[in-house]
């Protein structure tokens, strides 16, 4: 078992962080997309590492991890800084985008339990929306390729707000679209930047780690840490065993 797998296993076996006493039953749900609904972060990571190799650059996993959860503008800024002028941003993005496209050409993989949770929320008339750092058009394209467009028609993309996660803007925009106070909504997030954003916006926050294990800061910010989206839904009372 890899070191990160061990960290994730330990992190998801207990409840951490912000007080969970007297939390309201969620009136609405906000989902991140990449790494939570779609199993795409690993695809982006593999493409990133391959692009570095093709361009003759040293591997830099930490640079990729800094990009996770950021929108297009902030991500490009961080990437430019991380490349240190060894190649241009445009050169790197051309190779990286090609590597990602080749991996997602046939289908976009979906995380376990996603369809079950969405269908359950619809059955119970609990509104939900996606708040993703990915640009809106690209998000809809990936949802379509994943076969999730009908289940997830409402998307707030990173291009719809001024400030990227970890700023709270996208969650405030999403909860306004839902018509509910952020404090009565629950956010499901896989990335540290997403957890920071949801917490700053005042949502009940469920962290479902993907490729980045939660550190002490994230464990303190998240109300719950769950091994998958169904476990997270159960922790906040949205689902129980007999709903599966």
């Amino acid at each position: 078992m890899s070191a990160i797998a061990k960290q994730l296993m330990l992190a998801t076996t207990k409840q951490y962080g912000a007080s969970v006493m007297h939390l309201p039953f969620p009136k609405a749900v906000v989902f991140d997309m990449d790494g939570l609904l779609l199993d795409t972060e690993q695809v982006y990571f593999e493409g990133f590492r391959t692009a570095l190799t093709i361009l003759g650059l040293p591997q830099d996993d930490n640079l990729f991890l800094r990009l996770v959860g950021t929108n297009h503008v902030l991500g490009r800024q961080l990437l430019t800084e991380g490349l240190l002028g060894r190649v241009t941003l445009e050169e790197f993005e051309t190779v990286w985008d090609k590597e990602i496209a080749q991996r997602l050409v046939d289908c976009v993989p979906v995380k376990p339990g996603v369809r079950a949770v969405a269908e359950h929320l619809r059955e119970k008339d609990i509104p939900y929306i996606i708040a993703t750092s990915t640009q809106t058009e690209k998000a809809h394209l990936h949802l379509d390729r994943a076969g999730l467009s009908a289940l997830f028609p409402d998307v707030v993309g990173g291009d719809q707000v001024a400030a990227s996660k970890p700023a709270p803007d996208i969650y405030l925009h999403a909860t306004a679209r839902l018509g509910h106070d952020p404090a009565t909504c629950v956010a499901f997030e896989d990335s540290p930047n997403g957890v920071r954003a949801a917490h700053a916006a005042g949502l009940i926050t469920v962290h479902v780690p993907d490729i980045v294990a939660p550190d002490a800061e994230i464990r303190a910010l998240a109300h719950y840490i769950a091994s998958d989206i169904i476990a997270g839904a159960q922790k906040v009372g949205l689902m129980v065993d007999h709903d599966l």
Side-chain angles (χ1 to χ4, degrees), residues 6 22 39 42 46 61 69 74-75 82 93 100 121 127 131 147 151 154 158 163 170 202 207:
K6 291 179 180 178
H22 311 302
D39 198 4
Q42 188 62 44
E46 292 171 358
D61 292 356
L74 179 57
E93 286 185 327
I100 292 172
L121 294 178
L151 280 175
D154 298 320
I170 197 165
H207 183 37

Side-chain angles (χ1 to χ4, degrees), residues 3-146:
I4 191 167
K6 291 179 180 178
Q7 291 179 55
L8 291 174
M9 182 179 70
L10 290 172
T12 55
T13 57
K14 57 182 76 174
Q15 176 179 293
Y16 291 92
S19 174
V20 296
M21 303 231 0
H22 311 302
L23 287 177
F25 181 82
K27 292 183 178 179
V29 183
V30 185
F31 295 106
D32 179 47
M33 188 182 74
D34 291 299
L36 179 82
L37 305 180
L38 306 181
D39 198 4
T40 44
E41 292 290 11
Q42 188 62 44
V43 174
Y44 298 153
F45 192 20
E46 292 171 358
F48 180 85
R49 301 195 80 192
T50 301
L52 289 174
T53 298
I54 290 172
L55 292 168
L57 301 175
Q59 293 299 318
D60 191 347
D61 292 356
N62 287 332
L63 174 56
F64 175 82
L65 296 178
R66 289 172 61 203
L67 305 178
V68 175
T70 62
N71 69 5
H72 186 65
V73 174
L74 179 57
R76 296 186 92 227
Q77 176 186 327
L78 294 173
L79 185 53
T80 299
E81 294 170 358
L83 290 173
L84 302 173
R86 293 169 295 191
V87 297
T88 67
L89 176 64
E90 291 72 21
E91 288 173 320
F92 186 84
E93 286 185 327
T94 297
V95 178
W96 190 14
D97 288 347
K98 181 180 178 181
E99 291 300 317
I100 292 172
Q102 288 175 344
R103 288 167 169 79
L104 298 178
V105 65
D106 294 323
C107 70
V108 175
V110 179
K111 286 277 194 172
V114 168
R115 289 184 174 87
V117 170
E119 289 167 354
H120 177 74
L121 294 178
R122 282 196 165 186
E123 180 183 331
K124 298 298 183 181
D125 292 322
I126 299 173
Y128 60 92
I129 194 169
I130 287 175
T132 175
S133 294
T134 300
Q135 292 182 300
T136 308
E137 183 178 354
K138 184 177 180 182
H140 281 297
L141 175 62
H142 283 184
L143 289 167
D144 184 59
R145 288 184 177 174

Side-chain angles (χ1 to χ4, degrees), residues 145-234:
R145 288 184 177 174
L148 293 177
S149 290
L151 280 175
F152 292 93
D154 298 320
V155 175
V156 179
D159 53 313
Q160 296 186 45
V161 294
S164 171
K165 299 175 185 180
D169 300 38
I170 197 165
Y171 274 102
L172 295 174
H173 189 85
T175 52
R177 283 260 297 267
L178 290 168
H180 288 282
D181 186 316
T184 66
C185 299
V186 60
F188 287 80
E189 271 286 355
D190 73 288
S191 75
N193 280 330
V195 170
R196 294 182 185 106
H199 176 83
L203 284 78
I204 302 164
T205 305
V206 178
H207 183 37
V208 184
D210 184 34
I211 64 172
V212 183
D215 60 14
E217 177 205 359
I218 299 306
R219 292 196 297 270
L221 294 179
H223 293 91
Y224 300 97
I225 298 181
S227 57
D228 56 50
I229 196 169
I230 287 180
Q234 292 174 330

